[in-house]
Amino acid sequence: MFRKFKGGIKLPHLKPTAGFTIERMKLPSLVVVPLKQHIGAVCEPLVQKGEKVKTGQKIGDSHANLSAPVHSPISGVVKEVRMHPIPTGEEVPSIFIESDGVDEWVETSGIDPEKAGREEILSKIREAGIVGLGGAAFPTHVKLNPPKKVDTLIINGCEGEPFITADHRLMLEYPERIMRGVEIMMKVCGAERAIIAIEEDKRDAEQQLKKFETERIKIAVLPSRYPQGDERHLIKALLRREVPAGGLPFDVGVVVQNVATAKAVADAILDGKPLIERIVTVTGAVRLPKNLLVRIGTLFSALIEECGGPAREYDKIVAGGPMMGFAQWCDIPVIKGTNCVLLMKSVEDEERDCIRCGRCVDVCPMGLEPTMLASFSKKKMFDKCLEYRVTSCDECGCCAYVCPSKIPLVQYIKLAKDALRRSA
């Protein structure tokens, strides 16, 4: 019996693209490849303006361990290298590449994971530029090399946010590849077992993955409750282990990865394929919502055009889901962590005074007091925010979702975290 994590909310099952098979998007005429698409150091460009590049060619890298190289997603010519916004709101150096329409690949080759050593596999994963594809974009070669012994690898297939169906379709259409990736990652991180966690609203994915279940790799179905996919909640629900405050999953003997990351690892090891594309759900106010296989660096405007353009009025484009996504102010590229592009109409709610109902406290899965954090943040009392553990907030949005006074609690919390980061 799995243990329920504290707090959280039951969201409506809004997944209109769950039944839509993955479609490969046509090659973009232009891509913008940011040199930072991950947690860690910015890459240095390895190409210059006017240089010809091939699909899969490494075009950016860093000497820092906590980083991941980037590759050209198309063949063509480098037009320029300059700063450009990315979905997280940052501006980072980016390489603009104009397609030659040929899609000529560099030569790639895989390795046999049964014969290859651990270091060779880790190096291959790093060189392929693989990062966590669930949204955090933590470099996978670092996460699979924990400083402490781990016994369990958890694969996150929950995908609890409304509208996003990229991982769901991946589990339905590539279950064997995901399993191969899980086997490879178990060998690298030293885990004795793996558990693939799926929420109960994806029983069809469970059936697909169960065809490849083994003694060491099991499928676990969890109640649909947001934010089930947070790695700390998954660990608690599946293993009854609690990650200490300020700690990481390896502190309790666990590594957590995403299903899409598992497939990317299999593609890199078995085929030598670098991470140059991913599945993105394009949904909301578009004429033809889709799950698209998209080259990284493709601009959001091209995705919307691929889906027939807007179907109705909208005033917001969100990278990610409605709970944790980022609203965009200009045309930006798909990066490795982009799983959804959502067109929506804003709902203007006037912020009112807190009525001390305590609902935000009840639903906070981290046991925080969001209303107090917001109050301190508004008064710029950021030291008090720290005292009330603002840095433990995952920004899942449960508090703002249930707030009857429509207080943008997450925005105030983000403001406090940003102020503390700047003053550190």
Side-chain angles (χ1 to χ4, degrees):
M1 186 68 182
F2 301 125
R3 176 175 290 183
K4 178 187 163 190
F5 65 89
K6 178 184 175 298
I9 51 179
K10 180 76 173 176
L11 291 171
H13 183 77
L14 294 172
K15 301 274 190 179
T17 54
F20 297 177
T21 56
I22 299 165
E23 296 180 33
R24 179 176 287 279
M25 183 178 169
K26 66 176 179 287
L27 281 178
S29 58
L30 174 76
V31 292
V32 180
V33 185
L35 289 165
K36 183 176 185 294
Q37 306 182 37
H38 46 265
I39 290 176
V42 180
C43 293
E44 295 293 328
L46 302 177
V47 292
Q48 298 178 340
K49 180 180 177 180
E51 192 169 333
K52 290 184 178 179
V53 294
K54 294 182 179 179
T55 306
Q57 177 181 335
K58 189 161 74 171
I59 56 175
D61 203 351
S62 167
H63 293 298
N65 183 47
L66 191 60
S67 186
V70 296
H71 302 76
S72 179
I74 56 174
S75 61
V77 178
V78 176
K79 301 303 290 181
E80 58 181 330
V81 181
R82 63 173 169 85
M83 301 296 284
H84 192 77
I86 59 174
T88 58
E90 301 169 85
E91 281 203 8
V92 302
S94 303
I95 300 174
F96 289 63
I97 302 171
E98 190 173 78
S99 173
D100 58 10
V102 179
D103 200 28
E104 182 183 2
W105 278 73
V106 294
E107 188 174 338
T108 61
S109 61
I111 56 176
D112 184 345
E114 301 300 322
K115 297 177 181 175
R118 178 176 178 275
E119 293 302 321
E120 186 182 2
I121 295 174
L122 271 177
S123 174
K124 193 82 173 172
I125 291 171
R126 186 207 176 277
E127 282 302 300
I130 298 173
V131 301
L133 297 180
F138 196 92
T140 302
H141 68 280
V142 178
K143 204 170 185 181
L144 287 177
N145 191 23
K148 296 181 180 178
K149 180 176 171 52
V150 300
D151 57 39
T152 306
L153 171 66
I154 293 176
I155 303 297
N156 182 3
C158 290
E159 199 172 53
E161 275 215 57
F163 292 101
I164 309 174
T165 55
D167 285 351
H168 187 182
R169 292 309 313 180
L170 192 78
M171 291 187 284
L172 287 173
E173 298 181 39
Y174 297 94
E176 189 172 9
R177 268 278 153 151
I178 291 171
M179 285 299 194
R180 293 300 306 275
V182 175
E183 290 168 354
I184 294 167
M185 289 196 288
M186 287 175 70
K187 175 175 179 176
V188 174
C189 72
E192 299 154 5
R193 61 175 173 174
I195 304 170
I196 301 178
I198 303 173
E199 288 191 337
E200 60 189 355
D201 60 356
K202 303 177 187 66
R203 291 284 184 179
D204 49 358
E206 177 203 1
Q207 294 306 312
Q208 284 294 92
L209 288 166
K210 269 195 173 294
K211 295 174 184 174
F212 304 95
E213 199 174 43
T214 69
E215 281 299 312
R216 298 176 66 212
I217 306 175
K218 297 296 184 185
I219 316 301
V221 179
L222 297 168
S224 300
R225 189 168 185 80
Y226 179 81
Q228 185 74 260
D230 182 291
E231 59 186 17
R232 279 169 291 192
H233 307 328
L234 273 180
I235 292 169
K236 190 168 184 177
L238 294 168
L239 305 175
R240 302 193 176 195
R241 299 178 190 173
E242 190 137 6
V243 179
L248 291 168
F250 62 68
D251 288 318
V252 293
V254 182
V255 166
V256 182
Q257 296 282 357
N258 169 270
V259 287
T261 312
K263 180 182 179 296
V265 165
D267 292 344
I269 300 303
L270 302 175
D271 304 330
K273 182 181 175 183
L275 182 57
I276 61 153
E277 60 187 6
R278 66 154 299 142
I279 300 166
V280 180
T281 302
V282 186
T283 186
V286 290
R287 292 186 186 280
L288 302 167
K290 295 180 179 183
N291 294 299
L292 290 173
L293 183 58
V294 178
R295 295 289 171 95
I296 286 164
T298 305
L299 292 167
F300 277 23
S301 57
L303 272 68
I304 294 167
E305 183 183 341
E306 182 81 7
C307 293
R312 54 186 178 274
E313 187 181 356
Y314 73 98
D315 60 7
K316 189 185 286 186
I317 298 177
V318 176
M323 299 298 290
M324 294 187 73
F326 292 82
Q328 305 301 317
W329 59 274
C330 67
D331 201 5
I332 54 164
V334 169
I335 60 175
K336 295 174 183 177
T338 306
N339 56 7
C340 181
V341 176
L342 172 64
L343 273 64
M344 57 190 294
K345 180 73 175 169
S346 301
V347 177
E348 297 296 336
D349 288 316
E350 185 181 353
E351 178 183 344
R352 301 186 293 275
D353 291 336
C354 175
I355 59 172
R356 305 289 177 189
C357 66
R359 292 183 197 176
C360 61
V361 178
D362 291 340
V363 301
C364 178
M366 299 307 296
L368 304 177
E369 298 178 58
T371 183
M372 293 301 293
L373 292 171
S375 176
F376 291 139
S377 179
K378 278 194 271 190
K379 297 171 185 170
K380 300 189 186 308
M381 297 169 64
F382 301 125
D383 54 337
K384 294 294 290 184
C385 291
L386 200 58
E387 186 182 322
Y388 276 69
R389 301 193 294 127
V390 69
T391 54
S392 294
C393 176
D394 285 335
E395 303 171 14
C396 65
C398 289
C399 55
Y401 184 83
V402 300
C403 178
S405 294
K406 307 302 178 187
I407 300 171
L409 294 160
V410 179
Q411 277 68 28
Y412 286 122
I413 289 171
K414 283 183 176 179
L415 180 69
K417 289 166 80 173
D418 185 57
L420 288 166
R421 199 160 33 238
R422 290 173 187 272
S423 64

